[in-house]
Amino acid sequence: FGVKSMTANQEEATLSGAELLLEGTIIKGYSGFYYVACGDKLYECSLRGKNRKKNVKFLPGDRVQFSILPGAEKGGAIEAVLPRKNELLRPPVANLDQLVILAAMYDPLPDLRLIDRLTVFAQWNGIMPVICFNKCDLVDQCEQQRLLEIYRPAGFPVFLCSTVTGQGIEALKQCLHGKFSVLAGNSGVGKSSMMNAISNRWQLATGEISDKLKRGKHTTRHVELFRLDEETLLADTPGFSSLEIPEDIKREELCRLFPEFLSRLEDCRFATCLHRSEPDCAVKEALAQGEIAPSRYENYLAFLEEVIQQERSF
């Protein structure tokens, strides 16, 4: 992630034969400056003119090369952004390993369609979805088990947590270790509270649920990366309630982003089966047998219609 100590090669790298060229990770961007973590230091960096002219886009999570400005101990200039392995536009981050989808068990009720939409989006971008249900202290064991069983057949890591009682927090921290993860979900599900539970050093501002609208108040205004340790990065993101299915997904590819469908695909009568109205569909048979959660299948159909509409619009 560019947060470990520099290697000998990095230390010896030079820019124009004179300036020391370092590598680091952008933690956040604010008012035209980018804060870059390198080793145990944080550098406030501006952009070189060539990057401003090219309108180069820099995101939290980007690995960058930067030079130290003359006479500035922690001031620098970003020279180049290194190749990304992935990027998201909402939230705007790069080089993710995991997308931690945070939902509340209650107050607000879990939005299963948003969860499934985010799992599709993550997998399409080569990112592992991790599902975390917060506020488990507000519901009984039966409700916790019901939600767990929806996602167990998909094979996604699922954590049942409470920032009040501490349930599941240590297990979640183990899942985060050594990776760059982003925490995403609706407003009011407790993202900032979860960040504080993961590390009491951060102490992010939290917000209460609006009694009138039953929606959380936004407490995170921009994406910022936090270091749990030198090997672990976690990003808190502004709350959001909608996300479009990626435009480049084809109708026949969507089912492969529902992992519990995969083992059944070869048993469908038609190789082109969309698992909607076709006869002898193994996915629908698994649904009838209770092996696939109805909400997952219903959301698949809703996303399939979106994909078909997108194809027609082109």
Side-chain angles (χ1 to χ4, degrees), residues 105 136 139-148 160 167:
M105 285 279 188
C136 286
V139 300
D140 58 26
Q141 289 289 334
C142 290
E143 179 62 10
Q144 294 183 36
Q145 189 65 23
R146 183 186 74 83
L147 289 171
L148 185 63
L160 304 177
Q167 175 184 339

Side-chain angles (χ1 to χ4, degrees), residues 42-102:
L42 190 65
Y43 295 85
E44 183 181 77
C45 296
S46 57
L47 298 180
R48 285 289 187 189
K50 61 183 180 180
N51 289 321
R52 288 196 297 268
K53 290 178 181 178
K54 292 179 182 178
N55 198 26
V56 178
K57 190 174 185 179
F58 295 88
L59 299 175
D62 267 333
R63 289 177 57 104
V64 295
Q65 294 177 328
F66 67 101
S67 58
I68 304 299
L69 296 176
E73 182 180 352
K74 292 187 178 181
I78 294 177
E79 307 294 341
V81 60
L82 300 179
R84 295 169 179 154
K85 66 180 181 181
N86 56 52
E87 70 174 272
L88 299 182
L89 297 179
R90 188 175 185 182
V93 289
N95 300 317
L96 278 173
D97 295 307
Q98 299 181 147
L99 180 65
V100 181
I101 303 164
L102 188 65

Side-chain angles (χ1 to χ4, degrees), residues 277-303:
S277 57
E278 299 87 347
D280 299 326
C281 171
V283 170
K284 289 192 294 183
E285 177 62 26
L287 175 69
Q289 296 296 324
E291 298 169 1
I292 294 175
S295 65
R296 290 279 290 167
Y297 180 72
E298 291 166 7
N299 289 338
Y300 163 76
L301 292 181
F303 301 159

Side-chain angles (χ1 to χ4, degrees), residues 17-18 57 67 75 93 96 102 116-117 125 130 146 159 162 164 171 181 206 215 229 239 259-260 278 282 292 294:
K57 190 174 185 179
S67 58
V93 289
L96 278 173
L102 188 65
D116 291 346
R117 192 178 291 272
N125 286 279
V130 175
R146 183 186 74 83
F159 296 89
S162 169
V164 174
S181 308
T206 60
R215 296 176 182 172
D229 53 53
E260 62 269 53
E278 299 87 347
I292 294 175

Side-chain angles (χ1 to χ4, degrees), residues 195-196 198-204 226-228 234:
M195 294 282 290
N196 291 339
I198 291 169
S199 176
N200 57 17
R201 292 184 292 109
W202 294 332
Q203 292 303 306
L204 305 184
F226 297 85
R227 287 188 285 180
L228 187 58
L234 182 61

